[in-house]
């Protein structure tokens, strides 16, 4: 019987998925140094994106370029289970949102948020049902620095390209981006990595002092 995606997901971690991606692709797929108010929560789902741009009210009318409108454009008519990716585009220490704006993520039952910037109100975010991963907690509003600009466009987070529809997996160790058409293949590869590691552990337990161990991968 073929395992479901959830059954495979329950057996793997981000590191296993990164190993599996490395067997299929040469490009960087992992994102490091993320912070979360709920490290016990895992984030997984297809990406929808909001790309930010340096604030200028003359060229970016706040009536059009605002989080509420861009959020609805990004999530579409079936938001449940999606991962909202916020791309700060060179502003990792700027707040891209907080508990009030991101309450929409909870209300529309998205899987969570991956932000290439800081977020405010960690205590409030921890009280919602979704998972949150970002560059750290902020205290200052960031709207005077960056403005939500485009919805559902390709974005770059820490050098990793993310297309709308790509799958995001994040846990306390970091995140990985999986091409939409290869989710099952990568998950199966990650399960294989876990099984291989279990075999290596058994061999290591049998090692005897004075004898050379087999080469490790």
């Amino acid at each position: 019987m073929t395992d479901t995606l959830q059954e495979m997901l329950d057996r793997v971690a981000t590191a296993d998925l990164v190993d599996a991606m490395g067997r299929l692709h040469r490009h960087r797929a992992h994102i490091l140094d993320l912070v979360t108010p709920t490290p016990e929560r895992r984030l997984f789902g297809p990406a929808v994106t909001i790309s930010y741009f340096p604030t200028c009210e003359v060229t970016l009318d706040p009536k059009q370029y605002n989080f509420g409108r861009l959020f609805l454009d990004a999530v579409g008519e079936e938001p449940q289970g999606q991962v909202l990716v916020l791309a700060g585009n060179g502003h990792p220490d700027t707040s891209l949102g907080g508990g009030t704006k991101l309450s929409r993520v909870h209300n529309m039952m998205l899987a969570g948020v991956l932000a290439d910037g800081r977020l405010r109100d960690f205590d409030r975010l921890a009280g919602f049902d979704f998972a949150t991963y970002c560059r750290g907690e902020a205290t200052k509003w960031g709207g005077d620095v960056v403005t939500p600009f485009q919805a559902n466009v390709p974005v770059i987070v820490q050098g990793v390209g993310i297309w709308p529809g790509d799958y995001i997996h994040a846990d306390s160790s970091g995140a990985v981006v999986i091409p939409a058409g290869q989710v099952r293949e990568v998950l199966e590869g990650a399960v294989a990595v876990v099984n291989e590691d279990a075999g290596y552990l058994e061999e290591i337990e049998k090692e005897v002092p004075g004898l050379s161990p087999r080469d490790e991968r």
Side-chain angles (χ1 to χ4, degrees):
M1 181 180 296
T2 303
D3 289 339
T4 66
L5 294 184
Q6 186 59 55
E7 288 171 336
M8 291 188 287
L9 189 65
D10 290 340
R11 298 177 59 188
V12 303
T14 294
D16 306 313
L17 291 163
V18 172
D19 283 350
M21 278 291 295
R23 296 179 179 184
L24 296 173
H25 297 281
R26 298 179 63 182
H27 68 265
R28 178 186 172 112
H30 63 282
I31 300 168
L32 300 175
D33 300 324
L34 296 173
V35 178
T36 174
T38 53
E40 74 283 358
R41 295 183 190 172
R42 178 162 48 176
L43 178 63
F44 183 72
V48 293
T49 68
I50 295 178
S51 181
Y52 287 67
F53 197 81
T55 296
C56 176
E57 293 188 2
V58 174
T59 55
L60 300 178
D61 184 350
K63 294 180 181 179
Q64 179 180 0
Y65 298 99
N66 60 77
F67 187 88
R69 189 186 72 79
L70 270 292
F71 175 83
L72 293 177
D73 287 348
V75 302
E77 297 181 357
E78 298 181 359
Q80 187 171 356
Q82 296 175 342
V83 173
L84 178 64
V85 178
L86 305 178
N89 293 312
H91 296 84
D93 291 325
T94 299
S95 174
L96 303 182
T100 300
K101 292 178 179 178
L102 293 176
S103 65
R104 297 177 174 93
V105 176
H106 171 82
N107 296 340
M108 297 195 181
M109 297 186 290
L110 275 71
V113 178
L114 173 66
D116 190 26
R118 293 178 178 264
L119 297 174
R120 301 206 304 173
D121 310 321
F122 266 29
D123 287 345
R124 189 180 301 176
L125 293 174
F128 293 135
D129 291 335
F130 58 84
T132 301
Y133 287 85
C134 63
R135 291 290 195 99
E137 187 171 11
T139 55
K140 180 183 178 298
W141 173 69
D144 59 337
V145 180
V146 292
T147 295
F149 177 52
Q150 293 175 305
N152 273 349
V153 295
V155 297
I156 299 173
V157 175
Q158 291 189 31
V160 178
I162 302 176
W163 292 82
D166 284 349
Y167 271 67
I168 308 296
H169 180 278
D171 58 25
S172 58
S173 65
V176 60
V177 181
I178 305 170
Q182 292 184 302
V183 176
R184 173 167 288 278
E185 184 177 5
V186 172
L187 278 169
E188 289 174 346
V191 170
V193 168
V194 171
N195 291 338
E196 290 169 12
D197 283 346
Y200 294 142
L201 285 172
E202 290 182 2
E203 292 185 15
I204 290 171
E205 289 174 355
K206 298 174 183 177
E207 289 177 358
V208 178
L211 297 179
S212 296
R214 69 185 297 276
D215 290 337
E216 296 181 2
R217 63 181 176 86

